[in-house]
Amino acid sequence: MNRAKCLRCCSSSTRFQIPARIPPFSRLFSDQKRHAQAPKPIIDIKHIRQNPALYAQNCIDRNYTRQATHPQSIIDLHTEWQNLQTSAKALRTRANLLGKGLASKSPSDIPELAGLSRDALQDEAKAIKAQLATISPSETAALAEIEALALELPNITSPDTPLGKDHEVLSYINEAPAASASTKSHVDIGTQLGILDFAAAAHTSGWGWYYLVGAAAQLEQALVQYALTSAKRHGWTQVSPPSMVYSHIGSACGFQPRDQHGEQQVYAVAQAAEDVARGVPAHVLAGTSEIPLAGMKANTELQMGEMPLKRVAVSRCYRAEAGARGASTKGLYRVHEFTKVEMFAWTEPHDEDVFEEMLDIQTEIIESLGLHARILAMPASDLGASAARKVDMEAWFPSRAASMGDGWGEVSSASMCTDYQARRLATRLRYKGDLGFPWTVNGTALAVPRVLAALLEAGWDENSGTVAIPECLRPWMDGMDKIGPNLN
């Protein structure tokens, strides 16, 4: 397979190196109150203060314009905190001296207290105590605000990521379909064959949901089993994760309730008023098993002998942002709930081999399914908060080409997140004698709805009214090589 060679040749020859940082155990943020089960983020505040222009420009490049002022705000708050520390130190020094004087039979023997009566010493000590009572909460508030601002900053972008808004085409998978190929949409194909039912789902759940019936439901399971088999063959360990997670776990992975544009991202589970009052942490439905997989090692210390730690999971995924209705979101392309096989791994810092292996697995799957696809290095403006680098794979959808003029549609992606998630989840790594942070990578082995839609369109034969089933899926399709009106 030449995918790996193409990517390595097309991408930067320089391996991704983030700027030098302070030791990973250094932390300059508050121990603000949080739920006992929530991991305490370990953010490198000093690195932000020392490189404000880097972080500000990174926010601009990634279209996080609101956060672009955060680095300077962090510097200003740190200066304020230092001034409070200096004031508090001077007051405590004076308070200790007053305490020494009050404990002495002859306070006037202490040069700094000469001429002060015992009543004057007591009055000054009370005044200092009141001042310190005001300063201490201000110190805590400043540190809490510094941490909150730092947590909103996106990851530092990899040099392999194109700047701007345009992606870079790295390579292609399989040959392009003939110009005479059908442009019938998967919605029409599935409806004609009786294997997709959007109308019933609209009555049951609303727009953005669907029923897979008969051969389509069987094809979903075949796709899942094939993707799992492919990943496990490369040494990935299968996990069955929960579909519901604490909201703070999702946030630590870079998934906020709303994105930077204010659009709803996740489904939150309603809480009883008494649970809210008691501080019970909120739950959300996971938009990808990346989130519960990352959470597996929250508040955990990993060892170098475990690296890389590779996991693959199949789960139902829930997305609130199914998008506006139209050709670009028609049918199975953008839905609220779907099945996905996800790969997630922890690696030692600066190890990109697992990321490349992940891309190889994705390429192998798409190639075996016979889909024409292209591999893209995604631009900085398209990256989520956690990713330093992102590679997408887009399949060719004939119906999208006919209705929109652009037939490409994303079917998988892979992201390298460096230590962004590990720091926020307090996942540590005993690395070369020090306690640092592992890097995390994640990638879609297979997202069922879009791949299923692409297979229906690519395999459709108008003359026979059938859809060809890729050979690699037939072991899970009872040996069927086609889906048709008399075969389903």
Side-chain angles (χ1 to χ4, degrees), residues 27 29-32 34 37-43 147 299 422-427:
R27 27 205 276 191
F29 55 89
S30 69
D31 286 314
Q32 59 178 309
R34 53 169 49 84
Q37 292 179 323
K40 190 180 189 315
I42 309 170
I43 309 301
E147 180 182 350
N299 289 323
R423 283 180 172 274
R424 284 157 175 75
L425 290 167
T427 304

Side-chain angles (χ1 to χ4, degrees), residues 124-194:
E124 186 179 352
K126 290 179 181 178
I128 289 176
K129 183 178 180 180
Q131 286 180 280
L132 286 172
T134 302
I135 289 176
S136 182
S138 297
E139 288 179 300
T140 301
L143 289 175
E145 181 63 15
I146 287 172
E147 180 182 350
L149 292 173
L151 286 170
E152 286 193 356
L153 295 174
N155 202 351
I156 295 295
T157 306
S158 164
D160 289 329
T161 296
L163 296 180
K165 298 181 179 180
D166 296 327
H167 57 249
E168 178 185 346
V169 179
L170 301 178
S171 61
Y172 289 87
I173 304 172
N174 296 324
E175 296 296 323
S180 59
S182 169
T183 59
K184 198 167 188 175
S185 78
H186 68 277
V187 176
D188 295 333
I189 294 169
T191 302
Q192 179 177 326
L193 295 176

Side-chain angles (χ1 to χ4, degrees), residues 324-344:
R325 302 188 193 191
S328 64
T329 60
K330 186 178 181 182
L332 295 174
Y333 191 77
R334 193 178 294 277
V335 293
H336 289 298
E337 179 182 3
F338 58 97
T339 302
K340 184 170 72 150
V341 181
E342 180 79 5
M343 296 177 287
F344 187 92

Side-chain angles (χ1 to χ4, degrees), residues 459-480:
W460 174 249
D461 185 318
E462 188 68 43
N463 294 325
S464 63
T466 61
V467 174
I469 298 173
E471 185 175 353
C472 62
L473 300 180
R474 293 173 190 171
W476 296 281
M477 294 294 292
D478 298 327
M480 289 192 300

Side-chain angles (χ1 to χ4, degrees), residues 127-329:
I128 289 176
K129 183 178 180 180
Q131 286 180 280
L132 286 172
T134 302
I135 289 176
S136 182
S138 297
E139 288 179 300
T140 301
L143 289 175
E145 181 63 15
I146 287 172
E147 180 182 350
L149 292 173
L151 286 170
E152 286 193 356
L153 295 174
N155 202 351
I156 295 295
T157 306
S158 164
D160 289 329
T161 296
L163 296 180
K165 298 181 179 180
D166 296 327
H167 57 249
E168 178 185 346
V169 179
L170 301 178
S171 61
Y172 289 87
I173 304 172
N174 296 324
E175 296 296 323
S180 59
S182 169
T183 59
K184 198 167 188 175
S185 78
H186 68 277
V187 176
D188 295 333
I189 294 169
T191 302
Q192 179 177 326
L193 295 176
I195 61 175
L196 299 181
D197 193 339
F198 295 99
H203 290 299
T204 305
S205 305
W207 183 85
W209 274 272
Y210 55 93
Y211 283 101
L212 302 180
V213 182
Q218 189 173 357
L219 189 59
E220 175 183 50
Q221 298 306 312
L223 287 166
V224 166
Q225 292 305 315
Y226 176 62
L228 286 174
T229 299
S230 298
K232 290 191 291 184
R233 188 169 60 248
H234 289 270
W236 294 70
T237 300
Q238 186 175 347
V239 174
S240 182
S243 295
M244 193 181 296
V245 297
Y246 285 132
S247 60
H248 57 253
I249 296 294
S251 296
C253 293
F255 293 84
Q256 301 297 331
R258 294 184 182 274
D259 65 12
Q260 67 266 37
H261 306 298
E263 295 182 358
Q264 185 75 22
Q265 295 294 297
V266 299
Y267 287 108
V269 179
Q271 283 185 292
E274 54 268 29
D275 287 340
V276 175
R278 290 191 297 114
V280 176
H283 282 91
V284 297
L285 294 176
T288 167
S289 57
E290 169 194 344
I291 300 172
L293 288 175
M296 286 182 74
K297 299 301 179 182
N299 289 323
T300 300
E301 180 180 320
L302 303 177
Q303 303 298 321
M304 275 298 295
E306 300 177 84
M307 299 293 103
L309 199 58
K310 303 187 296 185
R311 299 291 182 259
V312 60
V314 55
S315 70
R316 296 293 278 181
C317 304
Y318 301 88
R319 304 284 177 90
E321 80 314 350
R325 302 188 193 191
S328 64
T329 60

Side-chain angles (χ1 to χ4, degrees), residues 94 97-98 101-102 104-125:
R94 181 66 178 174
L97 187 63
L98 293 171
L102 289 169
S104 172
K105 292 183 179 181
S106 302
S108 59
D109 292 342
I110 301 175
E112 294 88 343
L113 304 180
L116 294 177
S117 66
R118 187 171 294 276
D119 287 342
L121 294 179
Q122 289 177 334
D123 290 342
E124 186 179 352

